[in-house]
Amino acid sequence: MDINKHQDLLTINWNLIFSIITVLVLILILKHFFFEKVKKFMDERKAKVEEQFQKAEEAENQAREKLDEYNEILAGAEKEKRVIIADAMENAKLQANSVLDEARKEAADIREKSRLQIEREKIAARKEIHNEVGDLAVQLAEKILESELDEDAQASVIDEIISKSEANRETKK
């Protein structure tokens, strides 16, 4: 029995050898027909994915460039807007100052015309008062000459002449 034990160690297991050969043949067949096609498919897919990443990166770069251009345009428009507003405000100030100066001149002209009109009216009133005083003096002298009056009579004659003078003045107005 001793030999039997060692004999199992040297025995070749043909099933194991056929299984290994079958697996190797299957691997070679799969490699020839399947692995090459899978590898080719995977390489193509990898190339497409890389191409899509590259296109996406290019699109992103273009978008950034456009964004930078638009930001520059907006910044320029903002500066232009500020310049236009500043110019408009300056023009408005100039126009306001011009209108104020013109209004001041017109007010000064009106004041001067009013002052001259008042002066003329004062002179006319003085002439009128002077003429009335002269007329009153003449009337008073006529009355005094017509009759010799005492003081009370003279006062009443003077009051009568002043009343007539005031009545004449009110009717003239």
Side-chain angles (χ1 to χ4, degrees), residues 153-167:
Q154 285 179 355
S156 69
V157 169
I158 290 173
D159 287 339
E160 182 184 332
I161 292 172
I162 289 174
S163 299
K164 285 182 184 178
S165 169
E166 287 176 357

Side-chain angles (χ1 to χ4, degrees), residues 69-82:
E69 287 178 24
Y70 291 134
N71 286 336
E72 287 177 17
I73 291 171
L74 285 175
E78 184 70 25
K79 287 178 185 176
E80 187 174 337
K81 177 185 81 170
R82 287 184 184 144

Side-chain angles (χ1 to χ4, degrees), residues 96-113:
N97 289 337
S98 173
V99 168
L100 287 174
D101 289 343
E102 190 173 319
R104 285 183 188 123
K105 287 178 185 176
E106 286 179 16
D109 288 346
I110 290 171
R111 280 193 300 263
E112 183 63 23
K113 286 178 184 178

Side-chain angles (χ1 to χ4, degrees), residues 13-154:
N13 188 351
W14 289 105
N15 283 335
L16 181 64
I17 293 175
F18 281 126
S19 292
I20 291 173
I21 292 173
T22 305
V23 168
L24 286 176
V25 169
L26 185 59
I27 289 174
L28 288 175
I29 290 172
L30 286 175
K31 183 179 178 187
H32 179 68
F33 289 109
F34 186 66
F35 288 149
E36 291 294 323
K37 290 181 181 178
V38 169
K39 187 175 190 275
K40 183 179 177 185
F41 172 76
M42 293 300 280
D43 289 342
E44 288 175 359
R45 181 71 181 150
K46 183 179 177 183
K48 283 183 183 179
V49 168
E50 286 177 1
E51 182 181 340
Q52 288 176 346
F53 276 127
Q54 188 177 16
K55 285 181 181 179
E57 191 174 307
E58 288 175 6
E60 184 180 358
N61 288 338
Q62 288 177 350
R64 282 188 185 141
E65 288 174 6
K66 290 287 185 184
L67 181 63
D68 290 342
E69 287 178 24
Y70 291 134
N71 286 336
E72 287 177 17
I73 291 171
L74 285 175
E78 184 70 25
K79 287 178 185 176
E80 187 174 337
K81 177 185 81 170
R82 287 184 184 144
V83 168
I84 290 171
I85 289 172
D87 288 345
M89 289 180 73
E90 185 65 29
N91 287 338
K93 285 179 185 178
L94 291 174
Q95 288 178 351
N97 289 337
S98 173
V99 168
L100 287 174
D101 289 343
E102 190 173 319
R104 285 183 188 123
K105 287 178 185 176
E106 286 179 16
D109 288 346
I110 290 171
R111 280 193 300 263
E112 183 63 23
K113 286 178 184 178
S114 297
R115 189 186 64 74
L116 291 174
Q117 180 70 23
I118 290 169
E119 279 296 317
R120 282 190 290 249
E121 288 177 7
K122 278 183 184 178
I123 292 171
R126 283 185 186 147
K127 285 182 183 179
E128 185 178 332
I129 290 173
H130 185 68
N131 289 339
E132 285 184 24
V133 168
D135 289 343
L136 286 175
V138 169
Q139 287 177 3
L140 184 59
E142 286 176 355
K143 290 281 185 178
I144 291 175
L145 289 178
E146 286 179 4
S147 63
E148 285 268 337
L149 302 174
D150 61 3
E151 270 185 46
D152 290 333
Q154 285 179 355

